[in-house]
């Protein structure tokens, strides 16, 4: 079995990390597979929602694969090559035009938290824990990862997480705005499904445009103001707006594609 898989059912796609016996640790091949899946999702599958989840109940991902990391630590060149793939995969995930949800079922450390921060929403089981630990290895967190963290939790909390590298509980994480919802472990799947239900009830084209608008406001260099303003203008002529307008006039429920 592949250590990371993609499944699609209707409007919903799920990427699953399948290394429960290794606490869903991430190796170079898995990062490359994640990048490839993101290309498929963006260019071919085009779902409304993508859920990132993991097997087992111990870890969403404990971070880097220790055996592989040990080998790479002896070679700065290998370490840089791996980092390049990690950054590429995370950027592709961040820029997916659909809504992305991380379903966090346990320890979410290092690269695992990097993946979660690339998602639009993070829903965690109550036993989940979170940490970023490069300072304990004498390493820096990347500019891109640091930016996502600061944009999510704010500068003061980001400093504490990066400088100290301490793990925090799910309750601490939600208080720090690192995650959006905490539920009992046996309710994680149903909470994600409820979230998906609400998302697909809204206009997919509107959400896609809003996601691009937010990315522009968060300094995504690939987006220009004129492009975003044009998206806003085009929305008035969109199929979804026409459908919603008609439903409003006729006082009926709108159902988007």
């Amino acid at each position: 079995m592949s250590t990371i898989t993609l499944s699609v059912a209707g409007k919903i796609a799920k990427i699953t990390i399948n290394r429960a016996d290794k606490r869903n640790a991430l190796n170079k091949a898995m990062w490359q597979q994640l990048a490839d899946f993101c290309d498929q999702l963006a260019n071919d599958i085009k779902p409304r929602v993508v859920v990132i989840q993991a097997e087992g109940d111990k870890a969403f991902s404990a971070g880097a694969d220790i055996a592989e990391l040990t080998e790479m630590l002896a070679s700065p060149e290998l370490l840089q090559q791996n980092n390049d793939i990690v950054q590429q995969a995370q950027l592709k995930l961040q820029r997916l035009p659909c809504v992305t949800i991380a379903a966090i079922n346990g320890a979410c450390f290092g690269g695992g938290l990097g993946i979660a921060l690339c998602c639009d929403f993070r829903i965690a089981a109550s036993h989940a824990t979170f940490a970023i630990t490069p300072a304990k290895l004498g390493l820096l967190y990347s500019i891109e990862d640091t930016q996502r963290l600061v944009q999510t939790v704010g500068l003061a909390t980001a400093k504490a997480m990066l400088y100290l590298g301490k793990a925090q509980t799910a309750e601490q994480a939600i208080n720090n705005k690192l995650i959006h919802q905490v539920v009992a472990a046996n309710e994680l799947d149903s909470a994600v499904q409820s979230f998906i239900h609400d998302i697909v009830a809204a206009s997919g084209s509107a959400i896609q445009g809003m996601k691009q608008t937010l990315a522009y406001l968060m300094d995504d260099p690939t987006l220009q103001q004129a492009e975003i303003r044009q998206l806003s203008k085009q929305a008035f002529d969109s199929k979804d707006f026409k459908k919603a307008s008609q439903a409003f006039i006729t006082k009926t429920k709108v159902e988007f594609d």
Side-chain angles (χ1 to χ4, degrees):
M1 176 184 289
S2 172
T3 50
I4 182 168
T5 60
L6 171 64
S7 61
V8 182
K11 302 175 183 178
I12 314 304
K14 293 184 178 181
I15 294 175
T16 305
I17 305 170
N18 290 300
R19 289 189 86 193
D21 59 322
K22 300 292 185 181
R23 293 175 62 81
N24 292 313
L26 299 157
N27 59 34
K28 183 178 178 180
M30 293 168 70
W31 282 110
Q32 184 61 62
Q33 185 65 78
L34 176 60
D36 292 343
F37 282 155
C38 287
D39 285 339
Q40 292 180 43
L41 291 164
N43 300 324
D44 302 319
I45 300 171
K46 300 179 181 178
R48 288 286 311 277
V49 181
V50 173
V51 178
I52 313 287
Q53 59 188 16
E55 286 296 312
D57 59 4
K58 302 298 183 184
F60 177 75
S61 175
D65 179 272
I66 297 301
E68 188 178 74
L69 180 61
T70 301
E71 178 184 348
M72 289 189 296
L73 286 174
S75 170
E77 183 179 350
L78 287 177
L79 197 61
Q80 185 58 55
Q81 289 175 358
N82 181 73
N83 185 62
D84 290 344
I85 293 173
V86 170
Q87 294 306 317
Q88 180 187 64
Q90 291 187 160
L91 194 58
K92 287 177 182 290
L93 176 58
Q94 177 183 317
R95 289 177 174 166
L96 283 177
C98 59
V99 175
T100 50
I101 303 171
I104 302 166
N105 57 336
C108 186
F109 286 17
L113 185 50
I115 288 175
L117 284 169
C118 290
C119 293
D120 296 309
F121 300 101
R122 289 163 292 281
I123 302 175
S126 57
H127 69 285
T129 53
F130 305 83
I132 301 170
T133 60
K136 293 186 176 182
L137 293 173
L139 297 174
L140 274 66
Y141 213 35
S142 74
I143 291 175
E144 295 82 3
D145 285 300
T146 303
Q147 182 181 47
R148 293 185 194 105
L149 181 65
V150 172
Q151 288 173 346
T152 301
V153 302
L155 183 59
T157 300
K159 285 181 178 180
M161 292 181 68
L162 291 169
Y163 296 176
L164 305 179
K166 289 184 177 180
Q168 56 184 287
T169 66
E171 286 300 327
Q172 290 171 323
I174 198 166
N175 288 335
N176 288 330
K177 300 182 180 179
L178 183 63
I179 58 179
H180 297 84
Q181 186 177 0
V182 177
V183 297
N186 62 356
E187 297 175 358
L188 182 59
D189 288 344
S190 60
V192 170
Q193 290 304 314
S194 177
F195 216 87
I196 290 172
H197 179 269
D198 291 342
I199 290 168
V200 298
S203 163
S205 63
I207 289 175
Q208 182 175 338
M210 290 174 185
K211 186 165 183 175
Q212 288 181 276
T213 302
L214 290 167
Y216 165 75
L217 292 171
M218 293 294 104
D219 299 322
D220 187 326
T222 67
L223 298 169
Q224 301 296 321
Q225 184 178 119
E227 177 184 358
I228 301 302
R229 292 191 183 280
Q230 184 61 27
L231 285 176
S232 182
K233 292 178 181 178
Q234 290 172 347
F236 287 101
D237 194 42
S238 69
K239 180 175 65 174
D240 280 2
F241 177 66
K242 292 175 182 178
K243 184 181 291 188
S245 298
Q246 184 62 29
F248 177 81
I249 292 169
T250 59
K251 294 182 171 54
T252 56
K253 182 180 179 181
V254 62
E255 291 189 8
F256 296 106
D257 296 335

